[in-house]
Amino acid sequence: MSKKISDLKHQRSEPIEIKIKDRIIGRDHFTFIAGPCTIENYDDLLKIVKHLQKMGINFFRGGAYKMRTSPYNFRGLGKKGLEYIKKAADETGAISVSEIVSSEDVELMSEYVDILQVGTRNMHNYRLLWELGKIKNPVILKRGMNSTIEEWLLAAEHIIEAGNPNVILCERGIRTFENYTRYTLDISAIPAVKNLSNLPIIIDPSHSSGRREMIKSLSWAAMAAGADGLLIETHFSPDNTICDSEQTIDFDILAEILEKKEELLGLWGKK
Ligand code: PEP
Ligand code: MN
């Protein structure tokens, strides 16, 4: 084990459980989070959240601030998107997840969104991580696309050391020489994180593969490998979304993923 990992102070104790509303995120549980890449309007968002709840999923995702590779792509609805997220969560009782892109937004977003997500491009933005240490909302920390597991765990340590222990790690694919997929999903990050850290780890099969036809397979792989949850881009009409259509699944595929839930999660004694 390298020097820096052995220096982790906060992630050495028993696995943690993160309580949010009436739900628990942690090693004994499995958390499905699904929803669109970006919030487009309120009616579509509400329709998605209600559909997810009918399927037994009470966590929804959706970006209001988008970090797009090209400056000419849609950058999200901003504050209006946050208002829609809050309204949908209040109306349904569901738990929201949305990406935070700047330390300036921490106070505002902590009031509008239940779980704040740090995107792959911001994993090394330590000033953002320190600000997230000052709030109580759980934080999903995505792995930097070029980061080692050690760098990722140390980024989590920045948030925890700053005062917020409620960190959920999310493996979302790393850069390799392979370009058939958008990134390469590092399944081995699951057992690695379980050995090295007490934090829950979830998998994002959508951004890692970039391919709709792979989502079911990768989701099952994550469940079988002992992940604590999945974050999946889902929409009732994936071909008609503004961003990430090609990796977004519909509710039929989501239902197929859920069909194997008991069997696969049973391997790990998860609820
Ligand atoms: C997202 O989940 O909306 C997202 C942009 O993911 P990533 O930061 O992993 O690219
Ligand atoms: Mn996306």
Side-chain angles (χ1 to χ4, degrees), residues 128-152:
L128 170 60
L129 304 183
W130 299 336
E131 288 304 310
L132 290 168
K134 295 180 186 163
I135 60 170
K136 300 261 177 296
N137 308 50
V139 175
I140 291 179
L141 179 65
K142 287 207 164 188
R143 180 178 180 179
M145 60 182 86
N146 301 308
S147 302
T148 63
I149 288 170
E150 176 176 89
E151 289 163 342
W152 184 26

Side-chain angles (χ1 to χ4, degrees), residues 7-269:
D7 280 352
L8 289 176
K9 268 201 294 190
H10 295 284
Q11 299 176 54
R12 294 237 160 269
S13 49
E14 285 298 294
I16 61 159
E17 289 200 328
I18 296 173
K19 295 187 181 65
I20 174 104
K21 292 189 182 166
D22 60 339
R23 301 297 164 118
I24 296 173
I25 301 171
R27 296 270 160 95
D28 294 338
H29 298 77
F30 195 87
T31 307
F32 285 97
I33 306 166
C37 179
T38 186
I39 310 295
E40 298 184 17
N41 59 66
Y42 183 67
D43 291 347
D44 286 358
L45 177 64
L46 188 65
K47 188 169 161 185
I48 292 167
V49 176
K50 286 189 169 166
H51 205 120
L52 291 173
Q53 285 185 316
K54 266 195 220 139
M55 298 173 83
I57 299 178
N58 209 37
F59 290 79
F60 69 98
R61 60 149 290 146
Y65 299 94
K66 300 303 297 179
M67 299 281 276
R68 305 306 297 281
T69 303
S70 164
Y72 307 113
N73 287 341
F74 180 62
R75 298 188 200 176
L77 292 180
K79 173 104 192 293
K80 192 101 230 136
L82 296 182
E83 286 164 9
Y84 294 161
I85 290 169
K86 182 156 175 20
K87 199 166 164 214
D90 288 347
E91 202 166 320
T92 60
I95 297 163
S96 61
V97 175
S98 195
E99 181 173 348
I100 177 147
V101 299
S102 164
S103 51
E104 288 165 24
D105 300 334
V106 171
E107 212 182 302
L108 175 76
M109 280 195 71
S110 66
E111 283 162 21
Y112 281 82
V113 178
D114 297 310
I115 302 178
L116 301 186
Q117 175 180 314
V118 177
T120 190
R121 291 164 185 81
N122 263 317
M123 190 207 86
H124 287 290
N125 184 345
Y126 298 121
R127 286 190 60 172
L128 170 60
L129 304 183
W130 299 336
E131 288 304 310
L132 290 168
K134 295 180 186 163
I135 60 170
K136 300 261 177 296
N137 308 50
V139 175
I140 291 179
L141 179 65
K142 287 207 164 188
R143 180 178 180 179
M145 60 182 86
N146 301 308
S147 302
T148 63
I149 288 170
E150 176 176 89
E151 289 163 342
W152 184 26
L153 292 180
L154 286 164
E157 194 84 356
H158 273 278
I159 303 172
I160 301 166
E161 177 66 16
N164 186 353
N166 301 315
V167 180
I168 300 147
L169 298 166
C170 179
E171 159 63 36
R172 51 79 66 206
I174 51 174
R175 275 252 153 87
T176 66
F177 55 80
E178 182 53 68
N179 59 12
Y180 179 71
T181 47
R182 197 169 169 187
Y183 298 90
T184 298
L185 179 63
D186 182 9
I187 283 284
S188 60
I190 299 167
V193 162
K194 287 181 147 185
N195 285 333
L196 296 167
S197 165
N198 64 348
L199 302 177
I201 173 167
I202 65 171
I203 294 293
D204 174 349
S206 311
H207 292 88
S208 48
S209 68
R211 287 176 166 269
R212 193 183 298 166
E213 74 279 11
M214 288 191 175
I215 306 300
K216 183 168 82 176
S217 166
L218 296 179
S219 298
W220 284 351
M223 289 155 92
D228 303 312
L230 280 162
L231 176 72
I232 310 178
E233 285 188 338
T234 312
H235 193 278
F236 51 84
S237 180
D239 288 331
N240 297 311
T241 58
I242 296 178
C243 69
D244 286 349
S245 298
E246 60 293 344
Q247 67 196 34
T248 301
I249 58 166
D250 61 21
F251 292 118
D252 290 341
I253 302 182
L254 188 60
E256 285 176 31
I257 293 170
L258 294 177
E259 266 171 30
K260 294 277 182 235
K261 199 170 93 175
E262 257 129 68
E263 207 172 313
L264 295 172
L265 302 183
L267 295 172
W268 299 94

